[in-house]
Amino acid sequence: MLSKAQISLITSLQHKKFRKQHGLFIVEGVKSVLEFLSSDYQVHSLYTTAEARTKMGNLPQKLKCIEVTLSEFQKISGLTNPQGVLALVHLPTIESFDWALLRQQHNLLLDDIQDPGNLGTIIRTAEWFGINHIICSVGTVDAFNPKVVQATMGSLARVKIYYTPLANFIDQSEMPTFGALLDGKSIYKTDFGNAGLIIMGNEGNGINDDIVEKVDHPITIPRIGHAESLNVAVASTIFCSEIARQKLENG
């Protein structure tokens, strides 16, 4: 049986303040939890219903696993249709940048992305196309927000996320910058080279002016139809796809 203290702890992790205070975040769903169990992340504890437990296979012997009733699980789940599996996972330690590695590849820079679903989708997309590092502005939504974690479908277990002032990061990186802007060169006529920083802006305001000043290559996704704009997650997918296409063609 779940205690009031356990329920209070788990539900409090919906908020960034308490995730930071307790050093934990929530992962829900069979697939996502299994991804974190097989990753470098340290899983603190696992809560499952009896039915869902049968879908989890063999679990690490040292893992603290608590079986709960469906009604109890509904009290701690943040999902409309919970799968009966929820893990508390330790927040990763903040790592310094491995400049030698970052300068050898393309990296996504996210400037004040606000929607959790957008960030989660971007993380999932980045992993699909082989982009393993995402650098976020301090104003970007927390990657360990449960809605972001859910939207990544387990990709957060493998993609490294950093939060830092982007202007300083760009200055230190010494890498070419490609910014998603309305008035720029066509993405399909752009050579992204072997490495660089791909900058995506806020859903409503785009890239902040102080970051726009640091963009070496303004890039536009040509509009053929009449839609007013593209969702930032969709735009990020197009950028990642084009970069991957060029890499495959160039061997």
Side-chain angles (χ1 to χ4, degrees):
M1 182 175 177
L2 282 178
S3 68
K4 288 183 179 180
Q6 286 174 308
I7 295 172
S8 177
L9 168 63
I10 296 168
T11 56
S12 75
L13 299 178
Q14 296 287 337
H15 305 283
K16 183 177 180 179
K17 171 185 174 181
F18 295 107
R19 290 194 292 273
K20 193 172 182 179
Q21 179 180 318
H22 297 290
L24 297 169
F25 67 99
I26 295 170
V27 180
E28 279 205 65
V30 175
K31 180 183 183 300
S32 292
V33 170
L34 288 174
E35 295 278 13
F36 277 91
L37 282 170
S38 61
S39 74
D40 293 334
Y41 279 81
Q42 183 182 353
V43 177
H44 173 275
S45 51
L46 180 67
Y47 296 81
T48 70
T49 61
E51 180 182 2
R53 173 65 182 84
T54 62
K55 302 174 184 178
M56 297 299 292
N58 295 323
L59 297 171
Q61 290 185 351
K62 294 182 179 180
L63 177 63
K64 181 181 178 182
C65 188
I66 299 120
E67 190 171 300
V68 299
T69 65
L70 180 58
S71 62
E72 286 178 320
F73 194 87
Q74 289 171 338
K75 292 179 182 178
I76 61 174
S77 174
L79 302 181
T80 305
N81 298 303
Q83 296 182 21
V85 177
L86 181 152
L88 300 187
V89 182
H90 288 279
L91 288 170
T93 55
I94 299 174
E95 299 181 24
S96 58
F97 300 113
D98 184 345
W99 290 109
L101 178 61
L102 293 179
R103 288 173 179 143
Q104 295 174 17
Q105 57 194 3
H106 289 96
N107 309 279
L108 275 179
L109 268 65
L110 305 182
D111 189 14
D112 290 358
I113 302 300
Q114 297 298 296
D115 183 81
N118 282 338
L119 178 56
T121 300
I122 291 170
I123 293 170
R124 186 179 179 188
T125 299
E127 190 196 14
W128 178 268
F129 287 108
I131 293 178
N132 302 313
H133 296 82
I134 297 178
I135 295 89
C136 301
S137 67
V138 293
T140 294
V141 63
D142 182 21
F144 300 99
N145 176 310
K147 292 181 180 178
V148 177
V149 177
Q150 187 68 23
T152 72
M153 294 297 291
S155 289
L156 183 59
R158 292 173 294 274
V159 177
K160 287 190 177 295
I161 312 293
Y162 305 91
Y163 284 82
T164 190
L166 292 188
N168 292 342
F169 177 87
I170 294 170
D171 288 342
Q172 293 177 58
S173 75
E174 302 175 352
M175 299 176 71
T177 54
F178 302 85
L181 297 166
L182 291 176
D183 186 16
K185 185 177 181 180
S186 168
I187 188 173
Y188 304 116
K189 296 179 180 179
T190 299
D191 181 356
F192 286 95
N194 296 319
L197 305 179
I198 313 302
I199 308 171
M200 311 301 297
N202 173 270
E203 289 89 343
N205 302 316
I207 301 172
N208 283 305
D209 290 343
D210 64 325
I211 304 301
V212 170
E213 294 174 359
K214 299 179 182 297
V215 172
D216 300 319
H217 307 282
I219 308 298
T220 296
I221 299 170
R223 181 175 65 175
I224 298 173
H226 301 289
E228 182 178 328
S229 62
L230 278 177
N231 171 280
V232 66
V234 174
S236 298
T237 299
I238 294 170
F239 269 78
C240 291
S241 177
E242 177 60 19
I243 291 167
R245 185 193 66 79
Q246 291 186 18
K247 285 184 177 179
L248 289 171
E249 284 195 354
N250 297 330

